[in-house]
Amino acid sequence: MRRPRLEAALVVSSTVAFAALTWFIVSGQSHELDVGSRQVLFTPRSAWGQVAEALSLLTHPLVMLAAILVATALSFKQRMRRLTVALAITASGIPLQLLLAAWIDRPRPQTHFADSVSFYLPGSFPNGHVTAVLLGSWVLVTLTRAHRRPQTWVLGRTLLAAGAVALTGLAQWSTGMARTSDLLGGVLLGTAVANLGLFIGGIETILSGWAHFGLPEERTGKRAAVVLNPTKVDDLSLLRRRVESEVLRAGWEPTLWLETTPQDAGAQAATRALEEGVDLVMVVGGDGTVRAVCTTLAGTGTAVALVPAGTGNLLARNLMVPLDTDSALRLALHGRSRPVDVVRLRAQDEQGRETEERFVVMAGMGLDAKIMEDTDDDLKKVIRSGAYAVAAVANAVPDPFKARVSLDDEPAQEQEVVMALLGNVGTITGGMTLFPQAEPDDGRVDLLLASPERVTDWARLGAQILTGRELEGFTLASARRVVIEADEPVPFEIDGDTAGQVRRLEVEVEPGTLRVIVPQ
């Protein structure tokens, strides 16, 4: 039986059992089950009574909810999106328990501990402490597995989790705070919600990707290199465990690890990977690292796999590469290789000095470069792509410049613009599609010339982009070769990185020179 089906079966069976138990309680038929539940083993002033009360405070549903929400936020920060979904669903089980308890409104037992803070919860069934601790314990075990800890860790924390649930139930029962049926209801509800989180979040992605299970009997003889930007990775040791576990499960050889530096965005690391003869280069970083690695690998035949770790992740988004790290790693080892165009660019500054670059996503002159230049890096860490919007508002009425534009062998045309944007793909930051017809392997580069005069023009452009309508009042074109000459130096950016000011750009497409791993 596949694990997802098992999780679904556990959800259904636990829910049915919980519904049946609820019916027995509401109809007053739970007396035999609750025999002995009114015996209070400890008094509030006894040593064991105080221990039991302290345990009940530590396992209060609101305390457990806060802990699960912290784990959810950390998992999202570590780009474990499927795990984040599962934990968020798990956290919802605690408010659900409180709502059910208030709706069923079963009176609490009479006990000497009735003045305890932990006693003040709506209703008695299902028991909130057991539900919350079971969910919290499930989070502990799931995090251990998702973080690729050794099997001994998993076993130890599983026993710890089971013990925590048992102790919590014992503390509630021995102090008379809960009946046996209340505790059973908490177990059934917690089990149903926990397994629902596993099922919806993706049990195969969360629990099956650790190194000691499912190893193939035969090795492929292949080896991958990881080129990573350490500033984009919150927990490098966790990333290493996640990569190595997927590599081992796929039957690949141990991975070559290479880091970028402030002086090198990834070109030297990619060159080193080629010298080592690896079969695949995984790039973990933002758009700048992706560009450096991809342009180095172009024309070599060695494929690149994207493991998104930046703010934009534009190439990954356009190629439908998942932003969840586990999913991206699995795709890297099992996806298909697709040819992608690379665009060669020659830029000339005011002094006539030329530089040559390549890009795989976008480049531009004017407003877009100004926005990139004015985007606050610290703000980007907090609100991510929203920081670009803040910079865009600050440049809502930009100064235009005159540009002469020639496409392929056509005569040059002159017009006044505020932005000249070149795209190898169609979608930019924020999921906005500027080039609806753009394909990364069509052998052409797309061009957008924008010359809005008022803020209302930008509002119209935004509305057209969001509704998917054809852009009116803006020049759209595509060509194999594009030359843009400005009458003055203007800001310039390439794949989101500012690159000074230029007077002239000459771009030409190199069709299908890069191999990228994409979904089947």
Side-chain angles (χ1 to χ4, degrees):
M1 178 181 291
R2 292 176 59 238
R3 279 187 172 183
R5 294 180 181 176
L6 174 61
E7 303 303 325
L10 288 173
V11 172
V12 173
S13 60
S14 299
T15 302
V16 170
F18 176 76
L21 180 60
T22 302
W23 182 83
F24 272 101
I25 289 173
V26 171
S27 60
Q29 302 184 47
S30 62
H31 301 294
E32 294 184 3
L33 182 61
D34 292 329
V35 170
S37 293
R38 294 191 177 183
Q39 287 186 336
V40 179
L41 301 185
F42 308 125
T43 60
R45 297 303 177 202
S46 67
W48 287 110
Q50 293 182 59
V51 170
E53 189 171 4
L55 181 61
S56 296
L57 288 172
L58 289 174
T59 58
H60 192 281
L62 296 182
V63 174
M64 300 306 298
L65 177 60
I68 296 174
L69 290 177
V70 169
T72 304
L74 290 176
S75 297
F76 181 79
K77 186 177 181 181
Q78 293 169 337
R79 294 185 177 271
M80 305 175 79
R81 283 171 166 76
R82 290 181 179 271
L83 179 62
T84 301
V85 170
L87 296 184
I89 293 173
T90 303
S92 70
I94 294 177
L96 175 62
Q97 179 275 325
L98 296 173
L99 289 173
L100 287 172
W103 176 61
I104 296 171
D105 197 22
R106 188 184 195 188
R108 286 190 169 275
Q110 296 295 322
T111 174
H112 296 299
F113 289 84
D115 60 348
S116 173
V117 173
S118 62
F119 195 78
Y120 290 99
L121 288 170
S124 175
F125 177 88
N127 182 262
H129 287 74
V130 168
T131 301
V133 172
L134 191 149
L135 293 174
S137 299
W138 172 89
V139 168
L140 176 67
V141 176
T142 301
L143 287 175
T144 304
R145 288 176 167 174
H147 284 67
R148 311 307 200 270
R149 294 298 185 182
Q151 187 179 8
T152 53
W153 284 52
V154 177
L155 178 60
R157 294 192 178 185
T158 301
L159 294 175
L160 178 64
V165 175
L167 281 175
T168 300
L170 179 61
Q172 291 287 296
W173 182 81
S174 62
T175 56
M177 293 185 183
R179 308 173 185 86
T180 303
S181 57
D182 297 331
L183 301 177
L184 181 57
V187 169
L188 292 175
L189 178 61
T191 301
V193 174
N195 284 287
L196 181 65
L198 288 177
F199 178 70
I200 294 179
I203 180 67
E204 290 294 336
T205 299
I206 296 173
L207 298 184
S208 299
W210 39 314
H212 300 289
F213 286 83
L215 294 182
E217 295 181 0
E218 298 183 0
R219 313 298 294 175
T220 64
K222 295 182 178 181
R223 189 186 187 198
V226 172
V227 176
L228 69 98
N229 182 344
T231 66
K232 300 293 184 179
V233 179
D234 294 318
D235 189 336
L236 182 55
S237 63
L238 171 59
L239 175 65
R240 284 181 175 271
R241 291 195 300 273
R242 295 165 82 179
V243 170
E244 295 301 346
S245 65
E246 293 296 341
V247 165
L248 287 174
R249 291 179 70 229
W252 288 47
E253 299 301 319
T255 305
L256 172 66
W257 290 82
L258 302 166
E259 293 189 9
T260 66
T261 65
Q263 296 75 33
D264 175 64
Q268 293 180 9
T271 300
R272 168 75 187 285
L274 291 174
E275 293 172 349
E276 293 290 334
V278 299
D279 301 278
L280 174 71
V281 176
M282 302 185 203
V283 53
V284 184
D287 291 325
T289 307
V290 169
R291 180 174 71 88
V293 173
C294 287
T295 54
T296 302
L297 296 180
T300 66
T302 301
V304 62
L306 308 174
V307 182
T311 302
N313 303 310
L314 296 182
L315 185 59
R317 294 175 189 272
N318 279 275
L319 296 178
M320 305 304 291
V321 173
L323 300 183
D324 174 74
T325 300
D326 286 322
S327 300
L329 291 174
R330 187 165 292 113
L331 172 65
L333 300 171
H334 302 286
R336 66 181 177 90
S337 173
R338 173 184 177 177
V340 171
D341 300 338
V342 173
V343 183
R344 187 175 68 251
L345 177 150
R346 291 188 183 90
Q348 187 178 95
D349 63 13
E350 190 174 16
Q351 285 74 39
R353 292 171 299 194
E354 284 194 357
T355 57
E356 184 169 313
E357 299 278 359
R358 284 168 156 180
F359 69 89
V360 290
V361 178
M362 291 188 182
M365 300 170 62
L367 177 62
D368 63 312
K370 182 64 173 157
I371 290 174
M372 299 296 178
E373 187 177 52
D374 291 348
T375 299
D376 186 276
D377 289 336
D378 293 332
L379 186 62
K380 191 162 63 172
K381 293 177 182 178
V382 178
I383 61 176
R384 304 188 71 79
S385 59
Y388 296 111
V390 174
V393 171
N395 291 277
V397 187
D399 295 327
F401 61 93
K402 289 184 179 180
R404 297 179 70 252
V405 181
S406 61
L407 306 177
D408 293 330
D409 298 325
E410 298 179 6
Q413 301 289 329
E414 184 175 295
Q415 67 182 87
E416 196 171 71
V417 299
V418 298
M419 176 175 67
L421 189 63
L422 297 153
N424 191 39
V425 295
T427 301
I428 64 170
T429 301
M432 297 184 296
T433 300
L434 286 183
F435 304 110
Q437 305 302 320
E439 291 291 340
D441 57 356
D442 60 3
R444 304 177 72 84
V445 63
D446 288 73
L447 172 67
L448 170 71
L449 299 175
S451 53
E453 298 178 354
R454 299 177 300 276
V455 174
T456 53
D457 294 334
W458 288 111
R460 177 164 53 85
L461 173 61
Q464 291 170 359
I465 292 172
L466 293 174
T467 57
R469 291 183 291 143
E470 184 175 346
L471 301 182
E472 299 177 0
F474 301 88
T475 302
L476 279 175
S478 68
R480 295 180 298 276
R481 180 176 178 273
V482 178
V483 178
I484 305 173
E485 295 181 272
D487 65 343
E488 61 183 89
V490 294
F492 168 59
E493 62 87 11
I494 181 167
D495 277 353
D497 292 330
T498 56
Q501 294 191 333
V502 298
R503 289 284 299 268
R504 185 178 189 273
L505 287 183
E506 179 181 343
V507 300
E508 188 170 353
V509 179
E510 298 177 350
T513 57
L514 176 68
R515 309 292 303 187
V516 182
I517 303 299
V518 298
Q520 298 286 351

